[in-house]
Amino acid sequence: MRKIALLLACLITIPAFAQDDYWDDYEYSSADTARRDTYVGIRLHKNERIAFKYDIHDGGNSTVRLDNFGFGAVIGNRLSDNVKVEFETMYTGASQTRRATKYDFDVWANMLNVYLFQEYASAIAPYVGLGIGFASIWGDVNAPYGHMSDYVFDLSYQAMLGVNFALNDRIDINLGIKYQYYGEVEHHMHHTEYAITDVDATEFYFGAVYKFGLK
């Protein structure tokens, strides 16, 4: 009987000692992991033969194609492990003289982009993206037959394909290629529409972003 009582006492006290040892060894922290889902950054565009297709009504047409650069800024948020949304604002332009006619265009686009991506090893993330927004296009055509200076606020859209590289938990860089239709500007002479210019481009781009967020 005494042996049974001693065994029961041991069984009662062992869990108590184990419980004390468990809490002594366990390190508890109430601090949440910092979430860095929001980012801001810059982006440099290399326009591969951006096209300004100048089409005269009931007449000829001419396409101004130039290799030039554009630049922009982005602010975005990572919504989930595979989706992020972004606002992008960018500038590009072109100036060229052909057949005694000087063409001068300035384009400022503001886009809302949505990306689908897949991250590997927390460092590399291939992605595809679509964007829609509005572009302000200033078109100035100075020809022997007259001077036209016009402005339009038009619908713009783009499709992107690229790769994002995480240098650390704060800095990302990304490389990509995209096609963007910027819009169409109408040229008026003597208060009538004389010509139109469609603006689109295939572009390579390089960007860098800084990630931040709240705990």
Side-chain angles (χ1 to χ4, degrees), residues 27-41:
E27 295 181 0
Y28 175 75
S29 175
S30 61
D32 293 330
T33 302
R35 295 179 57 87
R36 300 191 177 105
D37 294 333
T38 305
Y39 61 89
V40 294

Side-chain angles (χ1 to χ4, degrees), residues 16-215:
F17 286 118
Q19 187 74 4
D20 291 341
D21 292 340
Y22 173 81
W23 288 110
D24 289 341
D25 294 338
Y26 180 73
E27 295 181 0
Y28 175 75
S29 175
S30 61
D32 293 330
T33 302
R35 295 179 57 87
R36 300 191 177 105
D37 294 333
T38 305
Y39 61 89
V40 294
I42 57 174
R43 190 169 288 171
L44 181 66
H45 303 261
K46 173 64 170 67
N47 299 316
E48 290 298 307
R49 300 181 66 80
I50 185 170
F52 296 85
K53 301 172 186 175
Y54 177 70
D55 186 10
I56 300 174
H57 295 327
D58 301 322
N61 59 71
S62 179
T63 300
V64 177
R65 297 183 183 273
L66 289 175
D67 295 339
N68 67 343
F69 289 91
F71 60 89
V74 297
I75 179 168
N77 185 268
R78 178 172 172 162
L79 300 180
S80 71
D81 291 339
N82 299 105
V83 180
K84 64 181 178 180
V85 64
E86 172 186 277
F87 172 76
E88 177 182 16
T89 182
M90 73 190 89
Y91 167 82
T92 189
S95 182
Q96 190 181 71
T97 300
R98 298 183 61 183
R99 300 174 185 173
T101 300
K102 183 179 180 181
Y103 303 92
D104 193 358
F105 294 94
D106 293 285
V107 182
W108 195 280
N110 295 283
M111 311 295 295
L112 180 64
N113 304 323
V114 177
Y115 299 93
L116 296 177
F117 64 92
Q118 179 62 54
E119 193 171 63
Y120 298 96
S122 299
I124 301 174
Y127 63 84
V128 295
L130 293 174
I132 190 168
F134 292 93
S136 298
I137 306 174
W138 294 266
D140 191 274
V141 180
N142 195 352
Y145 48 78
H147 177 226
M148 294 169 288
S149 183
D150 301 279
Y151 163 81
V152 70
F153 187 65
D154 203 7
L155 181 70
S156 179
Y157 56 84
Q158 62 181 349
M160 297 154 284
L161 178 67
V163 182
N164 192 78
F165 301 92
L167 300 184
N168 53 47
D169 63 346
R170 289 285 190 179
I171 306 295
D172 285 1
I173 61 173
N174 60 83
L175 303 171
I177 184 172
K178 72 172 184 173
Y179 168 80
Q180 180 157 1
Y181 177 75
Y182 285 100
E184 175 186 279
V185 58
E186 299 176 352
H187 305 283
H188 293 84
M189 183 179 291
H190 307 304
H191 306 291
T192 62
E193 185 180 304
Y194 180 80
I196 60 172
T197 298
D198 276 316
V199 185
D200 68 346
T202 299
E203 305 177 343
F204 294 97
Y205 60 87
F206 168 81
V209 303
Y210 175 80
K211 298 176 291 186
F212 63 94
L214 302 176
K215 287 186 176 181

